[in-house]
Amino acid sequence: MPESYKPVREIRINPIIPAESVLVATARSMRPRKAEDPAPRDTRKHVDTCPFCLGNEDKTPPEIRRVPAQGEWEIRIVENLYPVLGNDRSQPGLVFGLQQAIDGYGRHEVIVDHHQHGIAIHEMSSAHLAKLFGVYQSRMRELYDMDERLKYVLVFKNFGPAAGASMAHTHSQIIATPVVPQNIHDEVTNSRDYFKRNHHCIFCSLIDEALTFEATIYDRSSGQILRKINVGQYVVERGKKFIAIKPFASRYEWEVHILPLDHQSNYLDTAGEDLDDLAMVMQRTMARLDAVIGGAQYNFFLHTLPHGEEFDNCDKSYHWHLEICPRTSIPTGFELGSGLFVNTINPEEAAERLRSVQL
Ligand SMILES: [Zn+2]
Ligand SMILES: [Zn+2]
Ligand SMILES: [Zn+2]
């Protein structure tokens, strides 16, 4: 085992959201988590009873769009059969004592990512993935244009039962809400504060560090090397326009973030040709994860600038990104009770293992 991968037990502070900090504890005796059993992936191309499969279009809730519009569809957007939010105002807001309730107003839609039932992201063509990223973009734009009250359109995906997917057919989801989710709000306002103090986007700085930073930290009295940080140690994949990075304070063992290399606050501003590069970086990153974990079950979340005038001044300080969070273990009471994430694999070692996959 290389020197840097000796057992680690330390709390790593997330530089953007300190409240999302992580206990990295790699010694076996320190593992408070139960490993999630790898679920056998449903690789079937077509399932007669699946409402998301080709030919079963009449079994889904109403269709919002299909791509392409004519001929055999590749991607479909449909309403969610069990929406967590509704687009009708059913009850007024409520305040009693210290309790407060806001009407669950919003939209909840399903995107059938591909007409093939069990296809994984890394098995899709780059052209298809780029099209999917384009569909996310145009639907987000439409929802914001349709309804001024919507402040955030969250695009996310659950893949595999450990990630909460209730349908085996590959799909992602859109939730549009009149409030900005707290974690995104924290990212936006904390990075704005950082920009006020440092005149730099903190996300750009993190990318620069990943690409250029090198350090050796010595023990003050013995002079022994405590830690070595090598150039590119946290880089998992790099394209012309996008980079995939393993966060220093990774909450999940195999968590990887994808960001545009050049500063950009809003996913809606990403040019069509850049989506090709995003698709390539995403596909290669997912192939690496799949090779190392084997049948990755994961969530991903698209974090971008929220909608509304109050966020106009965050254009220079916020930087959109995609967070990929594979689920390889079940959170325990320690994590749920403390709010501290526990990661049992050294992020530096995880990054190296992902990088060394031959694609
Ligand atoms: Zn299906
Ligand atoms: Zn930036
Ligand atoms: Zn984020």
Side-chain angles (χ1 to χ4, degrees), residues 201 203-204 263-264 316 318-319:
C201 159
F203 297 90
C204 283
H263 181 78
Q264 190 168 52
K316 289 204 173 85
Y318 193 63
H319 195 124

Side-chain angles (χ1 to χ4, degrees), residues 19 32 330-342:
I330 299 162
T332 61
F334 175 67
E335 292 182 285
L336 297 172
S338 66
L340 195 65
F341 291 87
V342 179

Side-chain angles (χ1 to χ4, degrees), residues 17 183-184 187 203 251 257 301-303 318-319 321-323:
I17 308 182
N183 57 340
I184 296 158
E187 282 186 356
F203 297 90
R251 296 161 298 179
H257 294 183
F301 317 98
L302 186 62
H303 285 175
Y318 193 63
H319 195 124
H321 54 275
L322 195 67
E323 299 187 1

Side-chain angles (χ1 to χ4, degrees), residues 121-147:
I121 287 231
H122 67 277
E123 295 164 339
M124 297 178 189
S125 69
S126 283
H128 182 92
L129 258 186
K131 210 175 275 182
L132 181 62
F133 284 126
V135 167
Y136 291 164
Q137 211 180 38
S138 62
R139 189 60 190 156
M140 282 169 86
R141 198 176 282 128
E142 274 173 9
L143 287 167
Y144 283 136
D145 289 348
M146 250 162 57
D147 192 334

Side-chain angles (χ1 to χ4, degrees), residues 65-112:
R65 182 189 306 161
R66 63 171 66 189
V67 179
Q70 307 293 331
E72 191 171 275
W73 60 267
E74 293 164 30
I75 300 165
R76 275 178 94 212
I77 309 179
V78 299
E79 288 178 19
N80 196 312
L81 185 58
Y82 304 105
V84 294
L85 297 161
N87 59 351
D88 50 324
R89 221 171 225 299
S90 54
Q91 58 179 44
L94 194 64
V95 179
F96 57 99
L98 290 172
Q99 318 302 331
Q100 191 183 355
I102 299 166
D103 183 45
Y105 165 83
R107 290 193 67 90
H108 190 176
E109 301 174 352
V110 174
I111 300 175
V112 184

Side-chain angles (χ1 to χ4, degrees), residues 18-269:
E20 281 187 7
S21 290
V22 179
L23 169 62
V24 179
T26 62
R28 214 155 248 297
S29 60
M30 278 297 300
R31 292 186 180 175
R33 271 192 178 184
K34 179 183 174 301
E36 179 67 60
D37 293 330
R41 185 156 69 83
D42 185 347
T43 53
R44 290 175 292 178
K45 285 192 167 166
H46 189 273
V47 176
D48 287 342
T49 52
C50 169
F52 292 169
C53 273
L54 266 185
N56 295 342
E57 292 77 13
D58 59 332
K59 295 199 178 78
T60 63
E63 177 175 291
I64 294 163
R65 182 189 306 161
R66 63 171 66 189
V67 179
Q70 307 293 331
E72 191 171 275
W73 60 267
E74 293 164 30
I75 300 165
R76 275 178 94 212
I77 309 179
V78 299
E79 288 178 19
N80 196 312
L81 185 58
Y82 304 105
V84 294
L85 297 161
N87 59 351
D88 50 324
R89 221 171 225 299
S90 54
Q91 58 179 44
L94 194 64
V95 179
F96 57 99
L98 290 172
Q99 318 302 331
Q100 191 183 355
I102 299 166
D103 183 45
Y105 165 83
R107 290 193 67 90
H108 190 176
E109 301 174 352
V110 174
I111 300 175
V112 184
D113 295 339
H114 198 287
H115 62 68
Q116 263 186 45
H117 184 81
I119 192 168
I121 287 231
H122 67 277
E123 295 164 339
M124 297 178 189
S125 69
S126 283
H128 182 92
L129 258 186
K131 210 175 275 182
L132 181 62
F133 284 126
V135 167
Y136 291 164
Q137 211 180 38
S138 62
R139 189 60 190 156
M140 282 169 86
R141 198 176 282 128
E142 274 173 9
L143 287 167
Y144 283 136
D145 289 348
M146 250 162 57
D147 192 334
E148 268 300 304
R149 291 169 297 181
L150 296 174
K151 290 284 186 243
Y152 199 80
V153 176
L154 177 68
V155 174
F156 66 101
K157 182 174 172 75
N158 307 330
F159 191 77
S166 48
M167 291 284 296
H169 193 119
T170 183
H171 67 284
S172 33
Q173 301 182 50
I174 284 184
I175 286 194
T177 57
V179 288
V180 179
Q182 189 61 42
N183 57 340
I184 296 158
H185 197 274
D186 287 347
E187 282 186 356
V188 171
T189 52
N190 291 1
S191 57
R192 181 172 60 194
D193 294 346
Y194 179 90
F195 189 89
K196 277 186 196 149
R197 292 192 305 271
N198 301 284
H199 312 287
H200 279 293
C201 159
I202 189 168
F203 297 90
C204 283
S205 301
L206 287 169
I207 294 171
D208 284 345
E209 274 188 11
L211 290 173
T212 63
F213 193 73
E214 187 173 45
T216 307
I217 298 155
Y218 298 91
D219 182 74
R220 190 173 177 164
S221 47
S222 70
Q224 277 188 330
I225 293 176
L226 283 180
R227 186 164 304 188
K228 245 178 119 54
I229 295 164
N230 299 316
V231 171
Q233 194 172 12
Y234 297 95
V235 179
V236 171
E237 187 66 52
R238 190 185 167 170
K240 281 199 184 75
K241 301 276 186 176
F242 288 87
I243 188 166
I245 289 180
K246 186 95 191 75
F248 175 77
S250 290
R251 296 161 298 179
Y252 301 94
E253 279 77 5
W254 301 101
E255 179 173 0
V256 176
H257 294 183
I258 296 179
L259 307 89
L261 278 162
D262 295 328
H263 181 78
Q264 190 168 52
S265 62
N266 199 331
Y267 179 65
L268 295 179
D269 296 335

